[in-house]
Amino acid sequence: ILFALADTAMGIAARTQNENVLTVIAQIDYLKAAKTKKLFATATSIKIGRTLSVYKTEITDENEKLIAICTGTFIFLDN
């Protein structure tokens, strides 16, 4: 579930470039167990190119504790 949350957050962030995207590769590092009911995913761009872009998602819990970090490369399909 954490990977799906992270990938979705990065995909939505990539779509802000007004193009369809597809995940090329992604890696997640699980840092601690999630013990709260709510989780939050924040995706930020690391590099946006003409064809590929790289994003990072941080997943935190209700107490702002870092649960996981995910990085992913996305390809713009409309190019």
Side-chain angles (χ1 to χ4, degrees):
I1 291 175
L2 293 178
F3 181 81
L5 176 62
D7 188 49
T8 300
M10 291 185 293
I12 291 169
R15 289 270 300 140
T16 63
Q17 301 302 308
N18 294 320
E19 296 190 48
N20 292 316
V21 297
L22 183 66
T23 306
V24 175
I25 189 168
Q27 172 187 325
I28 191 165
D29 293 305
Y30 300 100
L31 305 176
K32 65 182 293 186
K35 296 181 180 178
T36 62
K37 292 183 179 183
K38 292 183 183 179
L39 297 174
F40 303 91
T42 304
T44 55
S45 62
I46 296 173
K47 168 80 168 108
I48 299 174
R50 286 183 291 132
T51 306
L52 296 173
S53 62
V54 179
Y55 289 84
K56 175 178 83 169
T57 298
E58 292 185 351
I59 298 175
T60 56
D61 65 12
E62 295 174 5
N63 303 316
E64 299 183 8
K65 303 274 182 168
L66 190 59
I67 303 298
I69 297 173
C70 186
T71 56
T73 302
F74 292 79
I75 188 167
F76 297 117
L77 299 176
D78 298 337
N79 282 338

